[in-house]
Amino acid sequence: MANSIYGNPIVLDTFTSAIDLGNTLYGNSNATFYVEWIEWEEPITPGDTATITNAKGDAIFNETATVASQSLIKYFHGTPVYGIKIDSSGVTSGKISIMLR
């Protein structure tokens, strides 16, 4: 499957290169996203990691799997996030879903 960035939720499952959602969608790395939740779906192995940052490089989602295939979710309740970025090594397995308001 390929990344699906034009839906809601945004679904990302290919992490071979860095992802900058603000730049890709709006031509602005600092674009404001009103995030309801971010879910890391089905990380394969305990110890796998997922890190998502804002435009300034601050981690907005930083999790390590402790159980195989158990999804992890973080609720933001519509909080504004300025830029959403994932480095090419930012997610070691599974896929990321980002629900926007």
Side-chain angles (χ1 to χ4, degrees):
M1 191 174 143
N3 291 336
S4 175
I5 62 171
Y6 297 104
N8 197 22
I10 294 169
V11 179
L12 307 169
D13 67 355
T14 305
F15 305 100
T16 54
S17 60
I19 297 169
D20 180 340
L21 288 178
N23 190 50
T24 300
L25 292 171
Y26 307 112
N28 179 359
S29 292
N30 293 311
T32 304
F33 293 90
Y34 295 91
V35 179
E36 288 296 327
W37 49 258
I38 296 175
E39 182 177 11
W40 181 22
E41 299 179 45
E42 300 182 5
I44 295 172
T45 306
D48 284 353
T49 60
T51 302
I52 302 169
T53 63
N54 63 16
K56 293 182 354 182
D58 301 324
I60 60 170
F61 186 93
N62 189 16
E63 299 291 337
T64 300
T66 57
V67 177
S69 299
Q70 181 175 346
S71 297
L72 298 166
I73 191 165
K74 179 179 179 182
Y75 293 96
F76 291 79
H77 306 288
T79 300
V81 174
Y82 303 98
I84 297 176
K85 296 182 175 187
I86 303 174
D87 287 336
S88 60
S89 61
V91 179
T92 55
S93 69
K95 64 183 176 180
I96 298 291
S97 293
I98 303 170
M99 176 63 80
L100 304 175
R101 184 185 321 174

